[in-house]
Amino acid sequence: MVSPTDAIDRPGADQAPLDRSPLRSLLRGGLRRDALLGFVGACLITFGGFGSGALRERDPLLESMHLSWLRYGHGQVLSAIALWAGVLIMITAWVRLGRSTMAGRVALRDLRWILAMWIVPLLISVPVFSRDAYSYLAQGALLRDGFNPYKVGPVVNPGPLLENVSTIWTTTTAPYGPVFIMVARLVTTITGNHVVAGVLLLRLAMLPGLALAVWAIPRLARRLGGSPAVAVWLAVLNPLVLIHLIGGVHNEMLMVGLLTAGIAAVLERKHVLGIAIVTVAVAVKATAGVALPFLVWMWMVHRREDAEVAGEPQPNWLRSFVKTAGASIAIFVVVFGAASLAAGVGLGWVNALAGSNKIINWLTLPTILGHVVTWFSPLGLMSVLPVTRLICEIAFAVIFVVLVVRFRHTTRQAMIGIVLAMTAVVTLSPAALPWYYSWPLAMVAGLALSPRVLATLVGLSTWLMVIFQPDGSIGMYQWGHVILTTAAAVLAAVSLRREDPLHLRALWPPRTAAEVDAAAGSDTDTPADVDR
């Protein structure tokens, strides 16, 4: 997957011409066009979401604004066109920005400004491509109102929040950790049963996760040999992340931010802090726990390196393992226990993890195998799925043990182990949703990736971004939608390495000489470090 000769982390790849004003630096040449293009796309997504997103059953706010016509008939069609146009425009801007970033013409500070531009419109959007935000609010209200969300579903607490929860989840207990449940409770305590205010505040509560990812992912790249700017472009500005995790309001944003920050802390030898942060990530969503064994290996590698630097004998492996693993377990127990006690709801959420079995789509191997078996046998899918899911769960357990044993000798190996373990979790779990793939994406971004691998990840991200419908329904069983999605993904992947693959340049006005020079990075100012 990665080779030093193909890697794009060559000298100067993260440098950009110095400009006294970050905003002026952003709004010049080709970079200006890409930044504004993505901003326009985000605005269209927000506008289109009012009529075709994951809408409330009743929306007095739109009625008071005289915009309820967007939800029906021609208004809904117009909204859908605007939203899909926004998605495609944003993907186009992201791919164009990726070419410039890979060429070393974009600095981290530019990417941070662009990130701010692109997410501002999404902050006021209705939830798009998912209705999970309504479930989050209903689960938070359960804890607020004295119920245990790990024992009962939202159905026991009627009200405006329950009205908007997808029927399949009204009787399902919360599968999230105590930290996230407390976040949801805090949001509903502040906003009451006001759905719009609750969604907006819940989305704001996800922003610390985004900030942590922006802080941590460049640090991972520096420690692991990748390009900080490319890593942020791939794992943060990715429309799969921004539209699904911010626009769709998913707690993956908190989990990924905490997880990357914890790993970065461990790589910087702040082991206790790093494991504590990752434990908080587990208390948001359990998936983060697969990284913990590999953090133990990182800590042990640092112990060996410290002994070498000090000229001391290498520590006994078994003794070092017992000491390091014991300390890690103690940190986990203390932090996780404190979170559970603060929430006051125990560990019932672990049993609720099986609730995802209600999801059936083609995004995981068990479901794919189940469909294949039904094609060649008289068996029904519901009788086959339990078997294929059990087989894949056993396969994951075996693969995980092999990964933990195999990838333990260096910090880079341990990070690759986390990437592969996260990928195995998503592909072999009973069910998955498109935004689940943001987990391994954030982990792999810090490695030195060849242009071919980056193009593949762009194609996969694009496919996952557009395979669902804006209202949260699954588009994977509509062949027309699948074909168009696949075409968009292939085009995005090709476009990363080849500008204008459809030869549409004639439709764009010619650029001035000054714009060409700026896009080529040919100005003579002193290069600036990417952290400016």
Coordinates of all heavy atoms in Angstrom, one line a residue, residues 122-190:
L122 N -23.1 24.4 6.8 CA -23.7 23.1 7.3 C -24.1 23.1 8.8 O -24.9 22.3 9.2 CB -22.6 22.0 7.2 CG -22.2 21.7 5.7 CD1 -21.0 20.6 5.8 CD2 -23.3 21.2 4.9
L123 N -23.6 24.1 9.5 CA -24.0 24.2 10.9 C -25.5 24.6 11.1 O -26.1 24.3 12.2 CB -23.2 25.3 11.6 CG -21.7 25.0 11.7 CD1 -20.9 26.1 12.5 CD2 -21.4 23.7 12.5
I124 N -26.1 25.2 10.1 CA -27.5 25.5 10.2 C -28.4 24.7 9.4 O -29.6 24.9 9.2 CB -27.7 27.0 9.9 CG1 -27.3 27.3 8.4 CG2 -27.0 27.9 10.8 CD1 -27.7 28.7 7.9
S125 N -27.8 23.6 8.8 CA -28.6 22.7 8.0 C -29.5 21.8 8.8 O -29.2 21.5 10.0 CB -27.7 21.8 7.1 OG -28.3 20.8 6.5
V126 N -30.6 21.3 8.2 CA -31.3 20.2 8.9 C -30.4 19.0 8.7 O -29.5 18.9 7.9 CB -32.7 19.9 8.2 CG1 -33.5 21.2 8.2 CG2 -32.5 19.5 6.7
P127 N -30.6 17.9 9.5 CA -29.8 16.7 9.4 C -30.0 16.2 7.9 O -31.1 16.2 7.4 CB -30.4 15.7 10.4 CG -31.0 16.6 11.4 CD -31.6 17.8 10.7
V128 N -28.9 15.8 7.3 CA -28.9 15.3 6.0 C -28.3 13.9 5.9 O -27.4 13.6 6.7 CB -28.2 16.2 5.0 CG1 -29.0 17.5 4.7 CG2 -26.8 16.5 5.5
F129 N -28.9 13.0 5.1 CA -28.5 11.6 4.9 C -28.6 10.7 6.1 O -28.1 9.6 6.1 CB -27.0 11.6 4.4 CG -26.8 12.2 3.0 CD1 -26.5 13.5 2.9 CD2 -27.0 11.4 1.9 CE1 -26.3 14.1 1.6 CE2 -26.9 12.0 0.6 CZ -26.5 13.3 0.5
S130 N -29.3 11.2 7.2 CA -29.5 10.4 8.3 C -30.5 11.1 9.3 O -30.5 12.3 9.4 CB -28.1 10.1 9.1 OG -28.3 9.5 10.3
R131 N -31.2 10.2 10.0 CA -32.1 10.7 11.0 C -31.6 10.5 12.5 O -32.3 10.6 13.4 CB -33.5 10.1 10.9 CG -34.1 10.3 9.5 CD -35.6 9.8 9.5 NE -36.4 10.5 10.4 CZ -37.0 11.7 10.1 NH1 -36.9 12.2 8.9 NH2 -37.8 12.3 11.0
D132 N -30.3 10.1 12.6 CA -29.8 9.7 13.9 C -29.8 10.8 14.9 O -29.9 10.5 16.1 CB -28.3 9.2 13.7 CG -28.3 7.8 13.2 OD1 -29.3 7.2 12.9 OD2 -27.1 7.2 13.0
A133 N -29.7 12.1 14.5 CA -29.7 13.2 15.4 C -31.0 13.2 16.3 O -31.0 13.5 17.5 CB -29.6 14.5 14.7
Y134 N -32.1 12.8 15.7 CA -33.4 12.7 16.4 C -33.3 11.6 17.5 O -33.9 11.8 18.6 CB -34.6 12.5 15.5 CG -34.6 13.6 14.4 CD1 -34.7 13.2 13.0 CD2 -34.7 14.9 14.7 CE1 -34.8 14.2 12.0 CE2 -34.8 15.9 13.7 CZ -34.8 15.5 12.4 OH -34.9 16.5 11.4
S135 N -32.7 10.5 17.1 CA -32.5 9.4 18.1 C -31.6 9.9 19.3 O -31.9 9.6 20.4 CB -32.0 8.2 17.4 OG -32.8 7.7 16.5
Y136 N -30.5 10.6 18.9 CA -29.6 11.1 20.0 C -30.4 11.9 21.0 O -30.2 11.8 22.2 CB -28.5 11.9 19.4 CG -27.6 11.2 18.5 CD1 -26.7 11.9 17.6 CD2 -27.4 9.8 18.5 CE1 -25.8 11.3 16.8 CE2 -26.5 9.1 17.6 CZ -25.7 9.9 16.8 OH -24.8 9.3 16.0
L137 N -31.2 12.8 20.4 CA -32.0 13.7 21.3 C -33.0 13.0 22.2 O -33.1 13.2 23.4 CB -32.7 14.8 20.5 CG -31.8 15.8 19.7 CD1 -32.7 16.7 18.8 CD2 -31.0 16.7 20.7
A138 N -33.6 12.0 21.6 CA -34.6 11.2 22.3 C -33.9 10.4 23.4 O -34.5 10.3 24.5 CB -35.4 10.3 21.4
Q139 N -32.8 9.9 23.2 CA -32.0 9.1 24.2 C -31.5 10.0 25.3 O -31.5 9.6 26.5 CB -30.9 8.3 23.5 CG -31.4 7.2 22.6 CD -30.4 6.8 21.6 OE1 -29.3 7.3 21.5 NE2 -30.7 5.7 20.8
G140 N -31.0 11.2 24.9 CA -30.6 12.2 25.9 C -31.8 12.6 26.8 O -31.6 12.8 28.0
A141 N -33.0 12.7 26.2 CA -34.2 13.1 27.0 C -34.6 12.0 28.0 O -35.1 12.3 29.0 CB -35.3 13.5 26.0
L142 N -34.3 10.8 27.6 CA -34.6 9.7 28.5 C -33.9 9.8 29.8 O -34.4 9.8 30.9 CB -34.3 8.3 27.8 CG -35.2 7.8 26.8 CD1 -34.7 6.5 26.1 CD2 -36.6 7.5 27.3
L143 N -32.5 10.1 29.7 CA -31.7 10.2 30.9 C -32.1 11.5 31.6 O -32.2 11.5 32.9 CB -30.2 10.3 30.5 CG -29.2 10.2 31.6 CD1 -29.4 9.0 32.5 CD2 -27.8 10.3 31.1
R144 N -32.4 12.5 30.9 CA -32.9 13.8 31.5 C -34.1 13.6 32.4 O -34.3 14.2 33.4 CB -33.1 14.8 30.4 CG -33.6 16.2 30.9 CD -34.2 17.0 29.8 NE -35.4 16.3 29.3 CZ -36.1 16.7 28.2 NH1 -35.7 17.7 27.5 NH2 -37.2 16.0 27.8
D145 N -35.0 12.8 31.9 CA -36.3 12.6 32.5 C -36.4 11.4 33.5 O -37.5 11.0 33.9 CB -37.4 12.4 31.4 CG -37.6 13.7 30.6 OD1 -37.2 14.8 31.0 OD2 -38.1 13.6 29.4
G146 N -35.2 10.9 33.8 CA -35.2 9.8 34.9 C -35.3 8.4 34.4 O -35.3 7.5 35.2
F147 N -35.3 8.2 33.0 CA -35.2 6.8 32.5 C -33.8 6.4 32.3 O -32.9 7.2 32.1 CB -36.0 6.8 31.2 CG -37.5 7.1 31.3 CD1 -37.9 8.4 31.0 CD2 -38.4 6.2 31.7 CE1 -39.2 8.7 31.1 CE2 -39.7 6.5 31.8 CZ -40.2 7.8 31.5
N148 N -33.6 5.1 32.2 CA -32.3 4.6 31.8 C -32.3 4.2 30.3 O -33.0 3.2 30.0 CB -32.0 3.3 32.7 CG -30.6 2.8 32.5 OD1 -29.9 3.1 31.4 ND2 -30.0 2.1 33.5
P149 N -31.6 4.9 29.5 CA -31.6 4.7 28.1 C -31.0 3.4 27.7 O -31.1 2.9 26.5 CB -30.9 5.9 27.4 CG -30.0 6.3 28.6 CD -30.7 6.1 29.8
Y150 N -30.3 2.7 28.6 CA -29.8 1.4 28.3 C -30.8 0.2 28.7 O -30.5 -0.9 28.4 CB -28.5 1.2 29.2 CG -27.4 2.1 28.8 CD1 -26.4 2.4 29.8 CD2 -27.3 2.8 27.6 CE1 -25.4 3.3 29.5 CE2 -26.3 3.6 27.3 CZ -25.3 3.9 28.2 OH -24.3 4.8 27.9
K151 N -31.9 0.6 29.2 CA -32.9 -0.4 29.6 C -34.2 -0.2 28.8 O -35.0 -1.1 28.6 CB -33.2 -0.3 31.1 CG -32.1 -0.8 31.9 CD -32.4 -0.8 33.4 CE -31.3 -1.3 34.3 NZ -31.6 -1.3 35.7
V152 N -34.5 1.0 28.4 CA -35.8 1.3 27.6 C -35.4 2.2 26.4 O -34.4 2.9 26.4 CB -36.8 2.1 28.5 CG1 -37.2 1.2 29.7 CG2 -36.2 3.4 29.0
G153 N -36.3 2.1 25.4 CA -36.2 2.9 24.2 C -37.0 4.2 24.3 O -37.8 4.4 25.3
P154 N -36.8 5.1 23.4 CA -37.5 6.4 23.4 C -39.0 6.3 23.4 O -39.6 7.3 23.8 CB -37.0 7.1 22.1 CG -35.7 6.4 21.8 CD -35.8 5.0 22.2
V155 N -39.5 5.2 23.1 CA -41.0 5.0 23.0 C -41.7 5.3 24.4 O -42.8 5.7 24.4 CB -41.4 3.6 22.5 CG1 -41.1 2.6 23.5 CG2 -42.8 3.6 22.0
V156 N -40.9 5.1 25.5 CA -41.5 5.3 26.8 C -41.6 6.7 27.2 O -42.2 7.0 28.3 CB -40.7 4.5 27.9 CG1 -40.6 3.0 27.5 CG2 -39.3 5.1 28.1
N157 N -41.1 7.6 26.4 CA -41.1 9.0 26.7 C -41.7 9.9 25.6 O -41.0 10.5 24.8 CB -39.6 9.5 27.0 CG -39.5 10.8 27.7 OD1 -40.5 11.2 28.4 ND2 -38.4 11.5 27.6
P158 N -43.0 9.8 25.4 CA -43.7 10.5 24.3 C -43.4 12.0 24.3 O -43.2 12.6 25.4 CB -45.2 10.2 24.5 CG -45.2 9.0 25.4 CD -44.0 9.1 26.3
G159 N -43.4 12.6 23.1 CA -43.2 14.0 23.0 C -42.7 14.4 21.7 O -42.5 13.5 20.8
P160 N -42.4 15.7 21.4 CA -41.9 16.1 20.1 C -40.6 15.4 19.7 O -40.4 15.2 18.5 CB -41.7 17.6 20.4 CG -42.5 18.0 21.5 CD -42.6 16.8 22.4
L161 N -39.8 15.1 20.6 CA -38.5 14.4 20.2 C -38.8 13.0 19.7 O -38.1 12.5 18.8 CB -37.6 14.3 21.4 CG -37.1 15.7 22.0 CD1 -36.1 15.5 23.1 CD2 -36.5 16.6 20.9
L162 N -39.7 12.3 20.3 CA -40.0 10.9 19.9 C -40.7 10.9 18.5 O -40.4 10.0 17.7 CB -41.0 10.3 20.9 CG -41.5 8.9 20.5 CD1 -40.3 7.9 20.4 CD2 -42.5 8.4 21.5
E163 N -41.4 12.0 18.2 CA -42.1 12.0 16.9 C -41.2 11.9 15.7 O -41.6 11.4 14.6 CB -42.9 13.3 16.8 CG -44.1 13.4 17.7 CD -44.8 14.8 17.6 OE1 -44.3 15.6 16.8 OE2 -45.7 15.1 18.4
N164 N -40.0 12.3 15.8 CA -39.1 12.3 14.7 C -38.1 11.2 14.6 O -37.2 11.1 13.7 CB -38.3 13.7 14.7 CG -39.2 14.8 14.6 OD1 -39.8 15.1 13.5 ND2 -39.5 15.5 15.7
V165 N -38.1 10.3 15.6 CA -37.2 9.1 15.7 C -37.7 8.1 14.7 O -38.9 7.8 14.6 CB -37.2 8.5 17.1 CG1 -36.3 7.3 17.1 CG2 -36.7 9.6 18.1
S166 N -36.8 7.5 13.9 CA -37.2 6.5 13.0 C -37.9 5.3 13.7 O -37.4 4.9 14.8 CB -35.9 5.9 12.2 OG -35.3 6.9 11.5
T167 N -38.9 4.8 13.2 CA -39.7 3.8 13.8 C -38.9 2.6 14.3 O -39.1 2.1 15.4 CB -40.8 3.3 12.9 OG1 -41.6 4.4 12.4 CG2 -41.7 2.3 13.6
I168 N -37.9 2.2 13.5 CA -37.1 1.0 13.9 C -36.3 1.2 15.2 O -35.9 0.3 15.9 CB -36.1 0.7 12.7 CG1 -35.5 -0.7 12.9 CG2 -35.1 1.8 12.6 CD1 -34.7 -1.1 11.8
W169 N -36.1 2.5 15.5 CA -35.2 2.8 16.7 C -36.0 3.3 17.9 O -35.4 3.5 19.0 CB -34.2 3.9 16.4 CG -33.3 3.5 15.3 CD1 -33.1 4.3 14.1 CD2 -32.4 2.4 15.1 NE1 -32.2 3.7 13.3 CE2 -31.8 2.5 13.9 CE3 -32.2 1.3 15.9 CZ2 -30.9 1.5 13.4 CZ3 -31.3 0.3 15.5 CH2 -30.7 0.4 14.3
T170 N -37.3 3.4 17.8 CA -38.1 3.9 18.9 C -38.1 2.9 20.1 O -38.2 3.3 21.3 CB -39.6 4.1 18.5 OG1 -40.1 2.9 18.0 CG2 -39.7 5.2 17.5
T171 N -38.0 1.6 19.9 CA -37.9 0.6 21.0 C -36.5 0.1 21.3 O -36.4 -0.8 22.1 CB -38.9 -0.6 20.6 OG1 -38.4 -1.2 19.4 CG2 -40.3 -0.1 20.5
T172 N -35.5 0.7 20.6 CA -34.1 0.2 20.8 C -33.4 1.0 21.9 O -33.5 2.2 21.9 CB -33.4 0.4 19.4 OG1 -34.1 -0.3 18.4 CG2 -32.0 -0.2 19.6
T173 N -32.7 0.3 22.7 CA -32.0 1.0 23.8 C -30.7 1.6 23.2 O -30.2 1.2 22.1 CB -31.6 0.0 24.9 OG1 -30.9 -1.1 24.3 CG2 -32.8 -0.5 25.6
A174 N -30.1 2.6 23.9 CA -29.0 3.3 23.4 C -27.7 2.5 23.3 O -27.3 1.9 24.3 CB -28.7 4.5 24.3
P175 N -27.0 2.4 22.2 CA -25.8 1.6 22.1 C -24.5 2.5 22.2 O -23.5 2.1 21.9 CB -25.9 1.1 20.6 CG -26.5 2.2 19.9 CD -27.5 2.9 20.8
Y176 N -24.7 3.6 22.8 CA -23.5 4.6 23.0 C -23.1 4.6 24.4 O -23.8 4.3 25.3 CB -24.0 6.0 22.5 CG -24.6 5.9 21.1 CD1 -26.0 6.3 21.0 CD2 -24.0 5.5 20.0 CE1 -26.6 6.3 19.8 CE2 -24.6 5.4 18.8 CZ -25.9 5.8 18.7 OH -26.5 5.7 17.4
G177 N -21.8 5.0 24.5 CA -21.2 5.0 25.9 C -21.7 6.2 26.7 O -22.4 7.1 26.3
P178 N -21.3 6.1 28.0 CA -21.9 7.1 29.0 C -21.5 8.5 28.7 O -22.3 9.4 29.0 CB -21.3 6.6 30.3 CG -20.1 5.8 30.0 CD -20.4 5.1 28.7
V179 N -20.3 8.8 28.1 CA -19.9 10.1 27.8 C -20.9 10.8 26.8 O -21.3 11.9 27.0 CB -18.5 10.2 27.3 CG1 -18.2 11.6 26.8 CG2 -17.5 9.9 28.5
F180 N -21.2 10.0 25.8 CA -22.1 10.6 24.8 C -23.5 10.8 25.3 O -24.2 11.7 25.0 CB -22.1 9.8 23.5 CG -23.0 10.4 22.4 CD1 -22.6 11.6 21.8 CD2 -24.2 9.8 22.1 CE1 -23.4 12.1 20.9 CE2 -25.1 10.4 21.2 CZ -24.7 11.6 20.6
I181 N -23.9 9.8 26.1 CA -25.3 9.9 26.7 C -25.4 11.2 27.5 O -26.4 11.9 27.6 CB -25.6 8.7 27.5 CG1 -25.8 7.5 26.5 CG2 -26.9 8.9 28.3 CD1 -27.0 7.7 25.5
M182 N -24.3 11.5 28.3 CA -24.3 12.7 29.1 C -24.3 13.9 28.2 O -24.9 15.0 28.6 CB -23.1 12.7 30.0 CG -23.2 11.7 31.2 SD -22.0 12.0 32.5 CE -20.5 11.4 31.6
V183 N -23.6 13.9 27.1 CA -23.6 15.0 26.1 C -25.1 15.2 25.6 O -25.6 16.4 25.6 CB -22.7 14.8 25.0 CG1 -22.9 15.8 23.9 CG2 -21.2 14.8 25.4
A184 N -25.7 14.1 25.2 CA -27.1 14.2 24.7 C -28.0 14.8 25.8 O -28.9 15.5 25.6 CB -27.6 12.9 24.2
R185 N -27.8 14.3 27.1 CA -28.7 14.8 28.2 C -28.4 16.3 28.4 O -29.4 17.0 28.6 CB -28.3 14.0 29.5 CG -29.1 14.6 30.7 CD -28.7 13.8 32.0 NE -27.3 14.0 32.3 CZ -26.8 13.4 33.4 NH1 -27.5 12.6 34.2 NH2 -25.5 13.6 33.7
L186 N -27.2 16.7 28.3 CA -26.9 18.2 28.5 C -27.6 19.0 27.4 O -28.2 20.0 27.7 CB -25.4 18.4 28.5 CG -25.0 19.9 28.6 CD1 -25.4 20.5 29.9 CD2 -23.4 20.0 28.4
V187 N -27.6 18.5 26.2 CA -28.2 19.2 25.1 C -29.7 19.3 25.3 O -30.3 20.4 25.2 CB -27.9 18.5 23.7 CG1 -28.8 19.1 22.6 CG2 -26.4 18.7 23.4
T188 N -30.3 18.2 25.7 CA -31.8 18.3 25.9 C -32.2 19.0 27.1 O -33.3 19.6 27.2 CB -32.4 16.9 25.9 OG1 -31.7 16.1 26.9 CG2 -32.2 16.2 24.5
T189 N -31.3 19.1 28.1 CA -31.6 19.9 29.3 C -31.6 21.4 29.0 O -32.4 22.1 29.5 CB -30.5 19.6 30.4 OG1 -30.5 18.2 30.8 CG2 -30.7 20.5 31.6
I190 N -30.7 21.8 28.1 CA -30.6 23.2 27.7 C -31.8 23.5 26.7 O -32.4 24.6 26.9 CB -29.3 23.5 27.0 CG1 -28.1 23.3 28.0 CG2 -29.2 24.9 26.4 CD1 -26.7 23.4 27.4

